[in-house]
Amino acid sequence: MTTNGGADLTRLIEPDRVHRSVYTDDAIFAREMEAIFQRAWVYVGHESQVKQPGDYCTALLGQQPLIMVRHSDGAVYVLYNRCAHRGALLCAKSRGNTGGAFGCSYHSWQYRTDGTLESIPLPAGYEGTRFSPGAADYNLKRAARVESYRGFVFASLSPSGPALAEFLGEARIALDNMCDRAPAGEVEIVPTCFRFIQHSNWKIFMENQLDALHPYVTHESTGRAAAELERQMMARKQKPPLEYHYLSAFTTPFNEWDKLQTVNYPYGHCMLQGYMGLRPRDPDTLAYEAVMREHYGAERTERILGVNIHHVLIYPGLSVQPALQQLRAARPLAPNRTLTEIWHFRLKGAPEAIYRRALAYYNLINSPSTMVNADDLENFWRCHQGLAADGGDWVSFHRNAGQDDEHDGVIASRRGTSEAPMRNQFRAWKQYLSSSEH
Amino acid sequence: MPVVIKKRSRKKAITPKKNSFAQFRVSDDDVILREVEQFLYRQAELLDAKRWSDYIELFDADGIYWMPASLEQITGDGMPSIFYEDRNLMTMRMKRIAHPHAWSQTPAWGTSHIVSNVTLEKVDSRTGDVSVRSRFHMMEFRRDASRHFAGVYHHELRKTKHGYTIRLQRTDMVNGEAPFDYVLLAWV
Ligand code: FES
Ligand SMILES: [Fe+2]
C-alpha cells in the first residue's frame, strides 16, 4: 500500500464518503495516533482500579505506554511507563501494587508514585556530570493533562486543548447516567477485563457501535436462536431469563431500527437511543426503583431511569452503555490491528440483582465466547480486507446524508439507520488532522 | 541394550483368572478410571465432530459448562466467566452455529482435542459419582490460521444407569486471560 501521509489528508474526507486509505495507510495511521489519540482526552481507567496508595494499572494511549497510579496523598497520576535512565519499561505487569516506589528492574532507579526520582544506586558516579536529580528529565514523565470525571480517568498527552468537561460536552450523559443509576451516585469497576484483538482498523469498530442497520443482518443467527429458545421455554411454562431478550432483540426488523434516533455531538461523540427494553418491569427492577426513589426522590429517579440510551461513543476510543454498565475501549495497535478492552461496573448501593443483569450482558455479549461480537469481528475483518484491495476507492456514508437536523453543532438524525454517526466521526477526524497539519 | 519384554499369552493379560495373578489385579478404581477416560475421550470426539446435540446430551438436566474468567475463581455464580452455560444457553449456541447466516461459520473451521493426565480426585462409593481432573490440548483451525488452547478440565460426573452425565464441567485455560484473537465459537 502506498503511503498517503504527506498528502492533504482532509481531501480524503468528503461529507458523505471517505477514501479507503484512511483505514489502511501506515503513514495516515501514524498521523492519527499523533493528531487524535495523543491529543484528545482518551480514557485511561477507572479510579476504583487504583484504590490504595501504590495501586497501579497500565494503559496504552495512542502508541504510548502509560501507568495510572494512586500516590500516597490519594491523588491519581498518569505517568509514562519508561525509566528516565536508559528507557526500560517500569511496569511489565498490567496491574498491581508497587508499594511506595517504582523500582526499575535494570539498574534500580527508584521513583515515587508521583513520578519523581527518589534514589539511584551509587550517586557519587554522577558527581561532576550534567545529571541533576530533581530536574524533570530524571523523573517519570507525566501525561500532559489528567482529569477524572465521576471516577473515570482521562488523559491528554497534549498540554493544550479543551478541558475534559468541555470536551465531553453533552456526551458526558454516558458517564453521568451510569453513575446516577447507582443509588450512591457512583460506580465501581469489576476487575475483570475481556480483551480482543480485532484484525481491522479502529474506525471500523467505532463506526459499528452506533450502526443500527447492521444488527438485523449481522446478528440474525443469534437473534433467531435466542427468540426460538424464548418460545420453547415459554411453551414449557418456564420464564426465559431477561438477558435472552438482549439477543432476541436482534430480530427487530429494519423499519423498527429506523425509528430510533442518533444524536451527534462535537468532537466526534455520538449517541444511539435504546431499543432492547432497558427498563423492564420485573420484581428485581421494581425493588431497585424503590431504592432509587429513596435516594433521589420520585421525580429525579424518573429522570435518571427514563434515559433510554443504548450506546454513547466518546470519540476517538470509548464506547459506553450506561444502562448496562459496560464500557469498551479501543486501543489501536496498527492500521489493521485494534485491541479492545471490555469492562463492566457495579452500581454502588443497588441490589445484587441489578449487578447480575449487567453481568449477564457482560458474559453473553462481551466475553470471549460471545455469540454477538463473533459475527461483528468477522464483518470487521471482511471490511478491512476489502478496503485494502483496489476494488474501489471510496467508503459510502450516503444514507440519509443531508437529511439530519443540525443545531449549534449538534446533529440529530431523523432516522435510526442514518449514517450520521459515521459522518460525524469523520467531521471530528478531519478537524483533528487538519489542525495538526504543519 | 534393548528392553526385553517377557512374552505372555495375550489372553491371560486381558482376562486374568479371578485375581490369580497379583500383577493383573484390576481394582475398582481402575475400572472407574477406564470408564471415565472413555467418557472424556468421547466428549472430546463429539466436540471435534461437531455433534453438538449429542454433546449437550452429556450434561445433566441442570448441568453447567463453566470456563472462569480467571483461574482463581471458585464459582461462576455471580462472577464474570468466559462461559457459564446451562443446557438452555448451550442449545441457543448450537442453534446459532447451525443457522445459515452465522457469518462467523463461513470460513472452514475445525478443532482437535487431546485429553490426558486423567486423575480421579474423588469417588463417592455410595452413589458412584466422581470428580475427575484431566488436561486438554485443543488445536483450532479457522480460516487459514491455527490457535492453541490448553489447560485443565475438572468434571463433576454423576453415575446413572446409562453411564455418566456431567453436573459441572470446569475448563481452566492456561491462556484464558490473554487477549483473544477472535472469539471462542463453541465449548472447548
Ligand atoms: S534503565 Fe532503569 S535504571 Fe537503568
Ligand atoms: Fe454488532
Side-chain angles (χ1 to χ4, degrees):
Chain A
M1 172 82 226
T2 54
T3 61
N4 237 328
D8 176 4
L9 295 183
T10 58
R11 292 200 18 218
L12 304 173
I13 311 300
E14 297 182 3
D16 50 9
R17 63 176 196 172
V18 302
H19 193 267
R20 69 181 176 94
S21 59
V22 303
Y23 298 90
T24 57
D25 185 278
D26 287 329
I28 292 178
F29 179 80
R31 293 278 303 275
E32 284 179 326
M33 292 307 101
E34 224 174 276
I36 305 177
F37 278 84
Q38 288 162 209
R39 279 201 341 187
W41 287 101
V42 173
Y43 179 65
V44 181
H46 193 263
E47 282 189 37
S48 57
Q49 283 168 271
V50 291
K51 283 188 196 154
Q52 302 301 324
D55 282 353
Y56 70 86
C57 62
T58 61
L60 196 63
L61 262 71
Q63 304 290 281
Q64 308 302 318
L66 300 173
I67 309 168
M68 175 169 86
V69 60
R70 178 81 63 177
H71 189 49
S72 48
D73 65 1
V76 172
Y77 284 87
V78 177
L79 310 166
Y80 284 76
N81 190 1
R82 184 234 191 244
C83 178
H85 179 216
R86 300 233 295 266
L89 287 182
L90 280 170
C91 296
K93 277 197 336 183
S94 63
R95 62 178 117 167
N97 184 293
T98 191
F102 290 112
C104 181
S105 59
Y106 202 2
H107 315 95
S108 197
W109 285 31
Q110 304 284 324
Y111 304 88
R112 294 178 197 94
T113 43
D114 62 357
T116 54
L117 182 64
E118 185 180 66
S119 68
I120 47 178
L122 305 177
Y126 288 98
E127 276 167 26
T129 73
R130 293 205 297 153
F131 170 83
S132 70
D137 274 0
Y138 310 106
N139 293 335
L140 299 179
K141 186 175 170 181
R142 291 179 183 162
R145 293 181 297 155
V146 179
E147 280 192 53
S148 171
Y149 188 82
R150 300 194 70 169
F152 296 85
V153 179
F154 291 76
S156 161
L157 302 182
S158 160
S160 61
L164 179 62
E166 184 197 332
F167 167 83
L168 291 173
E170 291 185 52
R172 70 186 181 280
I173 193 168
L175 310 176
D176 279 336
N177 189 241
M178 196 198 295
C179 294
D180 290 347
R181 283 169 181 270
E186 54 179 2
V187 296
E188 176 161 4
I189 205 162
V190 178
T192 295
C193 181
F194 287 140
R195 296 182 295 164
F196 292 90
I197 303 286
Q198 304 180 348
H199 292 261
S200 46
N201 188 265
W202 63 275
K203 297 188 288 302
I204 294 175
F205 167 77
M206 292 299 279
E207 287 158 18
N208 168 265
Q209 298 297 288
L210 270 63
D211 182 336
L213 191 62
H214 93 283
Y216 183 55
V217 188
T218 297
H219 304 303
E220 182 186 349
S221 62
T222 299
R224 297 246 177 268
E228 198 180 324
L229 252 289
E230 283 179 327
R231 278 195 303 275
Q232 281 181 4
M233 291 181 77
M234 261 135 47
R236 293 198 302 259
K237 302 257 183 294
Q238 291 173 314
K239 199 171 150 30
L242 183 65
E243 61 266 23
Y244 285 21
H245 183 64
Y246 301 145
L247 302 176
S248 63
F250 294 133
T251 57
T252 309
F254 283 131
N255 57 315
E256 292 296 321
W257 294 98
D258 217 18
K259 291 180 191 156
L260 301 177
Q261 202 194 22
T262 69
V263 185
N264 304 281
Y265 305 109
Y267 298 107
H269 313 322
C270 339
M271 186 272 281
L272 171 68
Q273 207 186 351
Y275 60 85
M276 45 173 61
L278 294 169
R279 195 174 174 188
R281 308 305 298 159
D282 60 297
D284 289 337
T285 308
L286 297 180
Y288 158 66
E289 293 197 356
V291 178
M292 287 288 282
R293 278 193 298 273
E294 267 168 47
H295 278 78
Y296 291 111
E299 199 186 318
R300 176 105 203 272
T301 297
E302 233 14 70
R303 273 208 309 278
I304 293 168
L305 299 179
V307 171
N308 183 28
I309 290 177
H310 183 59
H311 264 120
V312 178
L313 277 198
I314 297 176
Y315 194 77
L318 193 65
S319 164
V320 185
Q321 291 180 280
L324 293 158
Q325 303 125 51
Q326 322 269 315
L327 169 159
R328 303 174 188 177
R331 315 280 187 197
L333 303 176
N336 64 348
R337 270 163 59 85
T338 306
L339 171 70
T340 48
E341 301 169 340
I342 313 180
W343 299 90
H344 72 301
F345 295 82
R346 275 180 189 274
L347 301 178
K348 279 196 183 171
E352 175 72 9
I354 299 304
Y355 167 64
R356 293 213 171 208
R357 180 172 307 170
L359 175 66
Y361 192 88
Y362 189 66
N363 282 348
L364 261 188
I365 282 83
N366 282 326
S367 91
S369 76
T370 171
M371 291 186 255
V372 179
N373 298 339
D375 295 310
D376 285 321
L377 296 188
E378 169 73 16
N379 279 332
F380 298 172
W381 179 83
R382 292 187 190 196
C383 279
H384 199 96
Q385 293 300 303
L387 292 175
D390 290 335
D393 275 339
W394 296 95
V395 174
S396 159
F397 294 125
H398 294 89
R399 176 171 282 276
N400 300 107
Q403 300 161 23
D404 308 312
D405 301 314
E406 180 167 355
H407 295 288
D408 295 335
V410 176
I411 302 165
S413 71
R414 284 183 225 157
R415 302 255 166 221
T417 69
S418 167
E419 280 162 345
M422 298 78 182
R423 293 189 288 270
N424 187 50
Q425 290 170 54
F426 276 105
R427 178 173 72 156
W429 191 96
K430 196 169 171 173
Q431 279 162 1
Y432 278 117
L433 271 288
S434 56
S435 61
S436 81
E437 240 153 5
H438 354 266
Chain B
M1 270 281 283
V3 181
V4 181
I5 299 168
K6 257 202 204 162
K7 277 193 185 155
R8 286 197 191 97
S9 102
R10 231 183 118 69
K11 201 176 162 203
K12 265 186 188 167
I14 291 170
T15 51
K17 282 183 212 148
K18 264 193 246 162
N19 294 342
S20 53
F21 302 101
Q23 67 268 42
F24 291 130
R25 178 178 295 146
V26 175
S27 75
D28 290 352
D29 272 7
D30 290 335
V31 172
I32 295 169
L33 180 63
R34 294 302 302 274
E35 283 174 3
V36 166
E37 281 173 352
Q38 289 299 311
F39 179 87
L40 296 177
Y41 299 160
R42 267 201 312 277
Q43 186 187 20
E45 284 301 315
L46 293 177
L47 279 180
D48 292 337
K50 300 185 181 170
R51 288 170 56 188
W52 310 123
S53 139
D54 291 337
Y55 180 83
I56 295 169
E57 284 302 317
L58 297 179
F59 285 76
D60 252 11
D62 54 359
I64 297 275
Y65 180 93
W66 177 35
M67 184 186 288
S70 94
L71 303 183
E72 293 88 60
Q73 273 173 239
I74 49 170
T75 173
D77 185 35
M79 302 284 289
S81 298
I82 298 176
F83 288 86
Y84 192 72
E85 297 191 356
D86 60 9
R87 284 184 54 146
N88 280 327
L89 264 181
M90 294 176 84
T91 305
M92 190 194 297
R93 183 176 293 279
M94 169 179 78
K95 287 182 185 297
R96 166 194 134 60
I97 291 176
H99 193 279
H101 288 171
W103 311 109
S104 53
Q105 299 298 305
T106 328
W109 171 57
T111 60
S112 176
H113 286 75
I114 297 288
V115 181
S116 180
N117 305 19
V118 181
T119 314
L120 291 179
E121 297 214 306
K122 210 169 82 195
V123 179
D124 186 321
S125 54
R126 194 177 50 83
T127 60
D129 295 354
V130 297
S131 303
V132 56
R133 182 189 165 86
S134 58
R135 284 202 176 259
F136 67 90
H137 195 116
M138 186 261 260
M139 192 281 262
E140 180 207 56
F141 168 74
R142 183 176 182 272
R143 187 191 277 123
D144 302 344
S146 302
R147 295 192 295 179
H148 289 268
F149 295 100
V152 173
Y153 286 145
H154 194 110
H155 283 79
E156 297 290 340
L157 300 179
R158 188 197 302 284
K159 178 90 175 165
T160 73
K161 281 205 293 285
H162 314 290
Y164 290 109
T165 57
I166 301 171
R167 284 170 42 220
L168 173 69
Q169 172 172 357
R170 173 176 176 151
T171 302
D172 279 316
M173 297 208 304
V174 68
N175 47 347
E177 288 184 68
F180 278 75
D181 212 272
Y182 200 57
V183 308
L184 297 171
L185 288 167
W187 313 282
V188 174

